[in-house]
Amino acid sequence: MYQATLGQRGYRFGDLRQLMAKASPARSGDYLAEVAAQSAEERMAARIALADVPLKAFLQQPLVPYEQDEVTRLIIDSHDAVAFAPISHLTVGDFRDWLLSEQADSAMLAQVAAGITPEMAAAVSKIMRNQDLILVAKKCRVVTRFRNTIGLPGHLSVRLQPNHPTDSLQGIAASMLDGLLYGSGDAVVGINPASDSLPLLEKLNYMLDDVIQRFSIPTQSCVLTHVTNTLRLMERGTPVDLVFQSIAGTEAANRGFGISLALLAEAQQAALSLKRGTLGDNVMYFETGQGSCLSANAHHGVDQQTCEARAYAVARHFSPLLINTVVGFIGPEYLYDGKQIIRAGLEDHFCGKLLGLPLGCDVCYTNHAEADQDDMDTLLTLLAAAGLTFLIGVPGADDIMLNYQSTSFHDALYIRELLGLKHAPEFAAWLAAMNITDERGRLRDAAANHPLLLALQGERT
């Protein structure tokens, strides 16, 4: 039992799971799940009580039962007690103060990351303002490598997302060319296919590999299909760089995705065996989003932000090159408006970075949400200030296959110029060598005889 008093009124919370949910900032998904605080006063009382909870309590009181959930078992069994030792005496409130102190510099945050559980990260985020989330995340340094180096301080990468509603190879190639000429693609060139046809998926992988190899682009490709399809492709000898999978924070939700930890481990080993990385062996790419556990009725009464943080434990176990929260994609049933989407994006980025993950964000919304592109500009700017690892680049910010609004190649130019952010160093050198950028790293106008344009013309003929 946890309790707090505000004025003349006392509040009681039956267990840690309820306390966490009541302390969470207001969002439509938690109201839908009937776990949210019923008033601002109750929410504040829950935060006051949560601040006094020892971090050790999260190791002793799992929010999802250990016996029922392999994600919980992963969190508890893989917990690094040595890394946890420097902060093991703290309460949630003390942890917030410590994170904001000068003592918690980048080196110290990296040292303790393996000792922080998702629930600890989620708990402390609930008592932090947006500026706190931004400042702490900025101090976290997470660097990964495959064919280039992602996550260096002062750098921001972009996933080039050239989706097409009919998986037209020419349409995808045109979007990919557009993105490359705008300097996008250093995180990954990643296609969400409209079809699960194995022969088509194979063609897409070969096309991406052909472009990357033909022009010696220091980046990686990924066709974002189900992990079982990617396994089959690798068995057929298809040139696969990264293995993609959507993941969630409970075993039941992951079962709904058709995956398990064992299946992800099998795919990781298969990708590693291909030895396609030239600089590193981070071969996994994961996507997450608040509300996925609730939409599968697999949340166990846990609030959606804590469920999201638990998905990061799954990701951390497999040392991904990239992981991003598709923050506004699931819809207003879970994040109703721009205010909720902005807060969720900052929470996700903070929790992921605190746990030692290369967290990116699809700064996005669906067309029936109470949000617009101005909200996305705000979130993009805040996340970039917080040290975002990568964002999404879609032609015109409008994904014509997935039918949602994201960020564009132009948005990446805006945020690079505003904050002086650089491309991955290997990719920056390639852009300069290809005469796409000048000596200051700024875009040049592409001449009609540019090799990439000539290659596209060749594809059309």
Side-chain angles (χ1 to χ4, degrees), residues 412-453:
L413 296 179
Y414 146 72
I415 202 64
R416 288 191 195 284
E417 182 171 350
L418 178 70
L419 300 179
L421 300 171
K422 302 176 183 179
H423 300 86
E426 301 84 0
F427 194 79
W430 178 82
L431 290 173
M434 291 293 290
N435 213 31
I436 295 173
T437 57
D438 61 20
E439 61 278 1
R440 295 178 300 170
R442 297 194 173 187
L443 287 180
R444 298 179 184 272
D445 292 332
N449 63 347
H450 192 281
L452 289 173
L453 288 170

Side-chain angles (χ1 to χ4, degrees), residues 187-367:
V188 64
V189 181
I191 300 170
N192 297 92
S195 168
D196 278 335
S197 161
L198 212 61
L200 173 66
L201 299 175
E202 195 166 41
K203 288 180 181 179
L204 292 174
N205 272 283
Y206 273 107
M207 183 194 75
L208 292 175
D209 184 63
D210 176 65
V211 173
I212 289 173
Q213 299 302 329
R214 192 191 321 179
F215 294 101
S216 302
I217 308 175
T219 189
Q220 37 282 326
S221 67
C222 185
V223 176
L224 282 69
T225 187
H226 194 269
V227 63
T228 53
N229 289 331
T230 306
L231 275 167
R232 293 168 67 190
L233 290 170
M234 289 189 284
E235 290 169 356
R236 293 164 65 133
T238 307
V240 170
D241 287 345
L242 305 183
V243 174
F244 168 80
Q245 184 55 49
S246 295
I247 57 174
T250 69
E251 178 181 348
N254 283 327
R255 191 183 309 121
F257 283 142
I259 63 168
S260 65
L261 298 179
L263 179 61
L264 294 177
E266 179 185 354
Q268 181 188 34
Q269 291 305 309
L272 287 171
S273 71
L274 300 180
K275 300 184 184 303
R276 293 179 57 81
T278 54
L279 295 184
D281 58 1
N282 300 114
V283 296
M284 306 298 282
Y285 175 20
F286 296 118
E287 285 189 345
T288 66
Q290 288 194 29
S292 57
C293 289
L294 177 57
S295 67
N297 194 28
H299 59 100
H300 297 269
V302 178
D303 68 89
Q304 66 180 39
Q305 189 251 334
T306 302
C307 284
E308 169 72 4
R310 284 170 54 91
Y312 303 155
V314 176
R316 180 167 65 176
H317 186 63
F318 296 102
S319 303
L321 179 75
L322 307 165
I323 170 175
N324 70 276
T325 167
V326 193
V327 67
F329 183 73
I330 302 183
E333 300 85 358
Y334 306 96
L335 296 170
Y336 179 72
D337 57 14
K339 181 179 177 65
Q340 292 188 11
I341 292 171
I342 289 168
R343 174 68 190 193
L346 294 176
E347 289 170 348
D348 294 349
H349 180 251
F350 163 83
C351 288
K353 283 292 184 64
L354 196 60
L355 293 169
L357 285 169
L359 227 294
C361 184
D362 190 344
V363 178
C364 65
Y365 64 101
T366 57
N367 289 310

Side-chain angles (χ1 to χ4, degrees), residues 3-12 38-39 41-42 45 48:
Q3 56 189 9
T5 301
L6 284 180
Q8 300 300 312
R9 184 169 181 181
Y11 289 89
R12 294 185 176 185
Q38 295 306 300
S39 68
E41 186 174 283
E42 183 184 24
I48 291 171

